Amino acid sequence: MARVVGDTNEPPNEQAVASIYTSMRTEINQIYSKITELEMEVSEHSLVINAIKPLDPSRRCYRMIGGVLVERTIKEVLPAVQRNKEGLEEVIARLTEALEKKKNEISEFEAKYKIRIRRVDDEMKDENFKKEGNAQGVLVGSAGADAHPV
């Protein structure tokens, strides 16, 4: 039986490989962004917890729920904020695992298609090397500076 072209998961050409690689890199960057965003939220939750923990539990406080500011007591709000913080930490842990899987996938993809990334530092070194190769090495002094005829 004849094998149909496109039957495998192999990309047909270099452009397809580059496109897949770019989308994988984009996905990794999105995961990094989400992790950073959630870490900032955890930090904010920690600040709130540390600010209200030493206060009297019967004291009034305000909490934003779905865009609506509601009045509650610290006794009611503190456990909810702590639960939210723990939930965010769990999501960060799952995203970190997903990030590691994606990094492994992209490493395998790079190895399979022999992809090497040219870093900006390497480009700068190459440019500097080319510039140095073209340099004349001539020093020019001022017009009136101790000129001695030979």
Side-chain angles (χ1 to χ4, degrees):
M1 189 157 181
R3 196 169 131 191
V4 178
V5 177
D7 192 7
T8 64
N9 291 334
E10 295 292 318
N13 58 27
E14 286 182 27
Q15 285 182 333
V17 170
S19 174
I20 292 168
Y21 184 74
T22 302
S23 69
M24 291 172 85
R25 297 288 300 176
T26 302
E27 223 175 303
I28 285 177
N29 288 336
Q30 288 173 341
I31 294 172
Y32 269 125
S33 296
K34 193 63 177 176
I35 288 172
T36 303
E37 178 186 332
L38 292 176
E39 285 174 342
M40 291 298 294
E41 284 193 36
V42 166
S43 174
E44 289 174 9
H45 278 67
S46 295
L47 288 173
V48 170
I49 291 168
N50 292 335
I52 66 174
K53 205 173 207 174
L55 302 175
D56 179 26
S58 61
R59 184 172 173 175
R60 285 186 296 163
C61 69
Y62 297 89
R63 180 172 180 221
M64 182 78 72
I65 300 176
V68 178
L69 196 61
V70 294
E71 183 179 334
R72 299 277 190 251
T73 63
I74 290 177
K75 181 176 142 185
E76 296 169 324
V77 170
L78 186 59
V81 174
Q82 289 172 329
R83 277 193 308 273
N84 286 351
K85 180 184 173 197
E86 290 166 3
L88 289 170
E89 289 170 340
E90 289 174 15
V91 171
I92 289 171
R94 280 191 244 125
L95 282 173
T96 304
E97 289 174 15
L99 179 64
E100 290 305 315
K101 287 179 186 175
K102 280 290 174 193
K103 282 181 177 180
N104 290 338
E105 279 181 34
I106 204 165
S107 294
E108 291 170 6
F109 193 80
E110 287 172 345
K112 183 176 181 178
Y113 293 102
K114 298 176 178 75
I115 297 172
R116 282 183 278 140
I117 303 299
R118 187 171 182 175
R119 305 278 185 236
V120 175
D121 295 342
D122 295 340
E123 292 174 10
M124 295 300 287
K125 288 177 186 175
D126 290 347
E127 287 177 19
N128 289 338
F129 181 73
K130 289 175 186 174
K131 288 178 184 175
E132 289 173 6
N134 294 335
Q136 296 293 321
V138 177
L139 295 175
V140 180
S142 61
D146 299 325
H148 296 289
V150 179

